[in-house]
Amino acid sequence: HMSDTSNSDPLLGSASGSERETTPNEARMIRACEFVRISMCATGIAFGYDGYFRSFAALMVISLAGITGCECIFLGDASARDEHWNTSSPYQRQGGLHLVAVAATMVALLLLGAADAALAALTLSPLLFIVLSATNHIVSEARHTSRIHYCRAAGSLALIAGAAPVLVMWGALT
């Protein structure tokens, strides 16, 4: 029945996205993921500015894709609730698996001694994802009253502002 709202949509999750509150432990784990992700990105950018471009690429991809992917897989519903989004979406897990695959590809490229151009190109994937994610957060803010979306968008733009010059200095994409 179309008006029945008691069941969660199998693709989009519940209508409210908040059938239960995020537990204190889940909140701590989400914040820990954010702290590690931000710390690794900042360290990666610092390595990049010092000319250690392969370390920059590894830290950027493993933090942005690997940690985010694991967060989607293991803390997906809690993270969604934290951002006032729908929960229990199979696309959430699928997106997490994709991000983990991107991080695993970076590890494989490093182990194989791949050319800098390959590392730089793969680094673009999570960075472009971050730009698109920032856009998504801004669009979401237009529909919600939570400031978290503006904070996420601002953080994403700061990350790009720090990482883009490193890619240019690297010259691996030219």
Side-chain angles (χ1 to χ4, degrees), residues 2-3 29 35 42 61 69 79 91 118 153 169:
M2 299 258 316
S3 64
M29 292 176 71
F35 176 79
V61 173
S79 293
Y91 292 109
M169 290 175 3

Side-chain angles (χ1 to χ4, degrees), residues 85 130-143 149:
W85 285 347
I130 291 298
V131 169
L132 296 173
S133 179
T135 303
N136 189 41
H137 279 287
I138 291 169
V139 169
S140 292
E141 184 56 35
R143 290 181 268 164
H149 297 291

Side-chain angles (χ1 to χ4, degrees), residues 45 49 155-166:
I45 290 170
Y49 279 101
S156 298
L157 295 176
L159 171 67
I160 297 305
V166 174

Side-chain angles (χ1 to χ4, degrees), residues 74-155:
F74 299 111
L75 295 169
D77 283 351
S79 293
R81 282 190 305 273
D82 194 53
E83 295 188 22
H84 307 285
W85 285 347
N86 293 334
T87 60
S88 301
S89 169
Y91 292 109
Q92 183 177 318
R93 181 173 302 261
Q94 184 174 331
L97 293 169
H98 171 259
L99 291 170
V100 169
V102 170
T105 300
M106 176 56 78
V107 171
L109 289 173
L110 289 166
L111 291 174
L112 293 170
D116 283 1
L119 300 180
L122 185 60
T123 303
L124 281 177
S125 176
L127 289 173
L128 291 173
F129 167 76
I130 291 298
V131 169
L132 296 173
S133 179
T135 303
N136 189 41
H137 279 287
I138 291 169
V139 169
S140 292
E141 184 56 35
R143 290 181 268 164
H144 296 84
T145 58
S146 171
R147 290 189 310 238
I148 188 73
H149 297 291
Y150 284 134
C151 293
R152 300 256 186 225

